[in-house]
Amino acid sequence: MATSCTQRPTLQSNSTALNHFMEKLMTKIFCFYDEQSLIDVTFKFANSTAVIPAHRLILAAASPYFANLFNGEQGNNPVIEINDIDSDIFERLIAFCYTGQTLITVSNVGAMVKAAIVLQLDDAITSCVDYLMTHIGEYTLQAVYTLERETQCELLKQKIIEYEIQNFMEISQSNEFLNFDVERMQRLLESDNLNIAREEDAYDAIKRWFNYDVPARQEQLPVLIACLRLIHFDDDFLFTHIEPLPGCELLAYKALLWTSKPEVRTKINVRFTEPRAISGTNCVGKTIIAVCSSINPKLLQYNKAEDKWEEYASLKYKSQWYRTILKDDDLLFTGGNKKGESLNIVRSWNIRNKTLQNLPAMNQARDEHCVVELDGKIYAIGGSEGNKTLSSVERYTTSDGWKFVNSLIVGRFLASAVSLNSKIYIIGGYNNDKYLKSIECYNPDSNTWTFCTRMTGFHTEPATAAHNGHIYVLSNKDDNCLVERYNPQEDTWSKICSLEVSGNLLAVVSLEKKLWAIGGISAGKTCVSVYDEENDHWEQKRSLPEKDITSCFVVPKALLASK
């Protein structure tokens, strides 16, 4: 029985002494656990031969579940049977009770969350949820939603909301978004921190959600439209987009009245009068970086305010025909060719710190291939090795490294690839010295490739980008850049306005709801062109000081702040 003579106040008066004492105490306790010394309870499992020894006092102190268990009818039993938790997961969480940490992986984190909830280990739940959200690309967003529904974990629910707010543009294009209930939609749209470039982006998301099930959602539409910052739309937008929506006429009228007659604002009920707090990582705070030349490339960044390009960094990288992709804060350089030999190397260059490091090598050496990201995973597709055209495809995750997935139907190199709507599309390229019009679509759920409708023209070393729900394909032919647009919902192609440039057009990106074509030569200068979709023509921006553009990416301006 504890008494008042316990010297806790004295220890607290000297934090160094207290920390030293607690460190020695916990080290000794874990040694007892590790050596199975002074064990007073053992757990066994119905479907396993494993047994897990432990100390009641430690477990009871770590979790109300164990405190109640040991004070209940089974409390004095030397052996207690556990029926609803896997023995391996249980053992990991017992270790957490002793050390405050345990091994969490993408493959076990779901089971860990469920078991930690059962065992009432709040700190373990927090560790698992934090791990889950930082590895959401590998675990997949759909699996996170399923886990939240199964567990009803409040912490996970809150973290998902924060993730949805920060990644709203990506979330709003997912299939899961279409099945959000109106309460979830309202919670997101009301957020002052919703990470969007313009208020029109929130409107577009509402329309996509609404059009998915118009009869069932017609009455709910005004509730969501009222969450928009309506007074920050111009009058034309209110007239042409808001006022025609069923049940939204009064909302549009109030917003118009607010902006046109300031003297009556006190009599008008408008929910939101201030603009959203735009964060530094949204599209307003994004710009383009261009990777120029293959060997020892330069990085240029676009200064939108002054419409000019500035050098950001240069790299020492002595290979060619590699492919580059943006992953978080890093540019990944995959494969390539050096002195006539195809490479399987992968190197990661951190944009912020300007440091280069090696990543696990691909299984297949390849150059002139495609590389694309989908759900946080990197795919290396096709390419060539020496004189051999490759059809192999491999996928990289931080947990498993590179693993082969199903191969292309038709091997190809100098093609282009893009991800859209949770699928990968590989377009054009060469096979046996022949140009390809074909396009293949990869479904990661079934691990299968299928053909889509062929392009109408041949595209030499095409540049592609996903933009406004379509795939744009650009390539040069006879001093003119041909442009086609693919509709994945209808599996159809259409031609749009050509771009009058010559030479190789090597990059195309989507920024601020506009399509940017980087590269090609006109009047001796490297062009930067922006597509005006409404009028079907290209506008010219400030040209680049470099000619050889190998790739371009959209990045947060804050990422380049260390320049």
Side-chain angles (χ1 to χ4, degrees):
M1 178 179 179
T3 69
S4 59
C5 68
T6 303
Q7 296 300 307
R8 185 175 180 183
T10 303
L11 285 171
Q12 285 185 333
S13 66
N14 186 334
S15 59
T16 302
L18 175 60
N19 291 338
H20 182 62
F21 172 80
M22 294 302 298
E23 183 179 344
K24 288 202 320 183
L25 179 64
M26 294 310 300
T27 300
K28 193 62 179 178
I29 288 173
F30 189 73
C31 285
F32 286 146
Y33 172 70
D34 196 40
E35 297 167 359
Q36 297 188 19
S37 177
L38 303 178
I39 294 297
D40 56 3
V41 66
T42 299
F43 297 95
K44 69 174 186 177
F45 302 84
N47 298 320
S48 173
T49 58
V51 292
I52 299 172
H55 302 88
R56 297 171 189 270
L57 180 62
I58 301 300
L59 302 190
S63 159
Y65 171 90
F66 288 114
N68 294 330
L69 176 66
F70 298 143
N71 285 319
E73 295 181 1
Q74 298 185 69
N76 294 323
N77 293 347
V79 178
I80 297 176
E81 185 170 311
I82 302 294
N83 296 313
D84 51 356
I85 299 176
D86 176 80
S87 60
D88 179 66
I89 298 297
F90 188 85
E91 185 172 22
R92 292 177 189 270
L93 290 174
I94 292 297
F96 187 92
C97 293
Y98 284 83
T99 65
Q101 56 188 8
T102 190
L103 180 62
I104 305 171
T105 67
V106 170
S107 59
N108 74 16
V109 65
M112 291 279 280
V113 170
K114 294 177 182 178
I117 290 172
V118 172
L119 300 179
Q120 298 176 258
L121 288 168
D122 292 343
D123 290 334
I125 295 171
T126 299
S127 295
C128 290
V129 169
D130 287 345
Y131 177 91
L132 189 61
M133 299 311 296
T134 56
H135 293 76
I136 197 167
E138 297 172 53
Y139 191 77
T140 78
L141 183 61
Q142 183 179 4
V144 171
Y145 283 130
T146 300
L147 183 63
E148 189 271 325
R149 286 193 296 268
E150 292 175 350
T151 62
Q152 296 295 301
C153 175
E154 283 299 319
L155 178 62
L156 180 56
K157 181 179 180 180
Q158 183 57 43
K159 290 291 185 179
I160 290 173
I161 292 170
E162 293 173 6
Y163 181 87
E164 290 170 342
I165 289 172
Q166 181 60 33
N167 298 275
F168 183 77
M169 296 298 291
E170 176 187 352
I171 296 293
S172 65
Q173 294 301 312
S174 68
N175 293 328
E176 290 84 0
F177 177 80
L178 299 174
N179 293 305
F180 280 7
D181 58 39
V182 68
E183 290 79 13
R184 192 176 205 130
M185 288 286 293
Q186 188 174 358
R187 182 171 56 241
L188 289 173
L189 293 165
E190 287 177 344
S191 172
D192 189 45
N193 296 315
L194 192 68
N195 194 5
I196 54 177
R198 310 172 303 156
E199 198 63 23
E200 286 87 343
D201 293 329
Y203 165 83
D204 291 342
I206 294 174
K207 285 296 297 292
R208 182 170 185 263
W209 178 86
F210 171 68
N211 290 335
Y212 184 69
D213 191 354
V214 172
R217 295 173 175 178
Q218 189 159 321
E219 292 185 6
Q220 302 165 339
L221 182 61
V223 174
L224 300 183
I225 293 297
C227 297
L228 297 174
R229 280 42 175 177
L230 292 170
I231 66 170
H232 297 283
F233 291 123
D234 59 38
D235 291 355
D236 182 66
F237 189 92
L238 290 167
F239 274 122
T240 59
H241 292 84
I242 304 298
E243 193 272 339
L245 297 175
C248 297
E249 299 87 345
L250 184 58
L251 292 172
Y253 174 74
K254 286 181 178 181
L256 287 165
L257 199 60
W258 176 280
T259 56
S260 62
K261 295 188 176 182
E263 67 274 11
V264 300
R265 288 179 179 175
T266 56
K267 300 178 182 179
I268 303 173
N269 181 22
V270 176
R271 286 194 64 191
F272 300 99
T273 58
E274 297 295 327
R276 300 183 195 270
I278 302 297
S279 72
T281 58
N282 63 25
C283 291
V284 169
K286 288 191 176 182
T287 189
I288 300 171
I289 58 171
V291 182
C292 307
S293 75
S294 180
I295 297 177
N296 295 328
K298 290 182 181 179
L299 265 69
L300 303 181
Q301 67 177 98
Y302 179 60
N303 184 330
K304 182 183 177 184
E306 300 181 24
D307 187 27
K308 69 178 184 180
W309 293 83
E310 303 167 338
E311 184 172 339
Y312 176 72
S314 59
L315 288 72
K316 292 183 178 179
Y317 197 80
K318 297 184 180 299
S319 64
Q320 58 184 343
W321 303 337
Y322 54 79
R323 292 297 180 258
T324 312
I325 191 169
L326 178 69
K327 180 70 171 74
D328 301 323
D329 293 354
D330 301 302
L331 286 177
L332 271 56
F333 294 80
T334 65
N337 190 289
K338 188 174 182 180
K339 296 181 179 179
E341 182 180 353
S342 298
L343 307 173
N344 66 346
I345 63 173
V346 181
R347 290 180 178 165
S348 173
W349 189 79
N350 186 269
I351 298 173
R352 190 185 304 276
N353 300 325
K354 302 179 182 178
T355 55
L356 189 67
Q357 65 176 355
N358 292 327
L359 291 182
M362 296 182 292
N363 296 302
Q364 171 75 60
R366 60 183 83 225
D367 54 56
E368 299 178 323
H369 55 292
C370 294
V371 60
V372 67
E373 180 184 10
L374 178 64
D375 294 332
K377 304 175 179 68
I378 305 298
Y379 291 77
I381 307 169
S384 61
E385 183 185 14
N387 296 322
K388 181 173 68 173
T389 299
L390 301 176
S391 62
S392 65
V393 182
E394 49 189 308
R395 177 172 60 202
Y396 174 76
T397 63
T398 54
S399 58
D400 297 330
W402 290 95
K403 302 289 185 183
F404 283 113
V405 297
N406 269 355
S407 297
L408 294 167
I409 302 171
V410 176
R412 59 187 76 202
F413 62 97
L414 289 177
S416 188
V418 65
S419 59
L420 179 65
N421 298 333
S422 300
K423 292 182 175 62
I424 293 173
Y425 296 84
I426 187 165
I427 297 163
Y430 293 88
N431 180 284
N432 296 326
D433 296 326
K434 293 181 180 179
Y435 295 113
L436 299 174
K437 286 186 177 181
S438 65
I439 170 174
E440 296 182 40
C441 175
Y442 178 71
N443 185 334
D445 294 332
S446 58
N447 188 26
T448 55
W449 291 91
T450 55
F451 280 124
C452 302
T453 298
R454 288 155 54 94
M455 294 179 288
T456 59
F458 291 111
H459 287 266
T460 307
E461 300 179 38
T464 60
H467 176 69
N468 289 346
H470 293 76
I471 296 173
Y472 286 75
V473 182
L474 299 85
S475 67
N476 277 300
K477 185 178 182 181
D478 301 328
D479 294 334
N480 198 27
C481 177
L482 304 178
V483 187
E484 287 191 68
R485 178 170 57 200
Y486 177 68
N487 184 332
Q489 303 298 327
E490 300 177 3
D491 191 25
T492 57
W493 289 90
S494 58
K495 287 188 176 181
I496 64 173
C497 176
S498 296
L499 185 57
E500 296 181 359
V501 297
S502 62
N504 286 332
L505 177 69
L506 292 171
V508 57
V509 294
S510 179
L511 174 67
E512 296 178 355
K513 299 185 76 67
K514 292 186 178 181
L515 191 72
W516 293 62
I518 316 294
I521 305 297
S522 178
K525 296 182 178 180
T526 304
C527 297
V528 177
S529 312
V530 179
Y531 180 57
D532 180 351
E533 188 170 3
E534 184 176 351
N535 298 304
D536 190 29
H537 80 273
W538 293 89
E539 301 172 353
Q540 295 302 312
K541 296 288 186 180
R542 181 72 64 89
S543 61
L544 275 79
E546 300 285 337
K547 290 185 178 180
D548 298 325
I549 312 301
T550 63
S551 54
C552 286
F553 304 98
V554 175
V555 301
K557 289 180 181 177
L559 192 59
L560 307 174
S562 60
K563 179 180 182 297

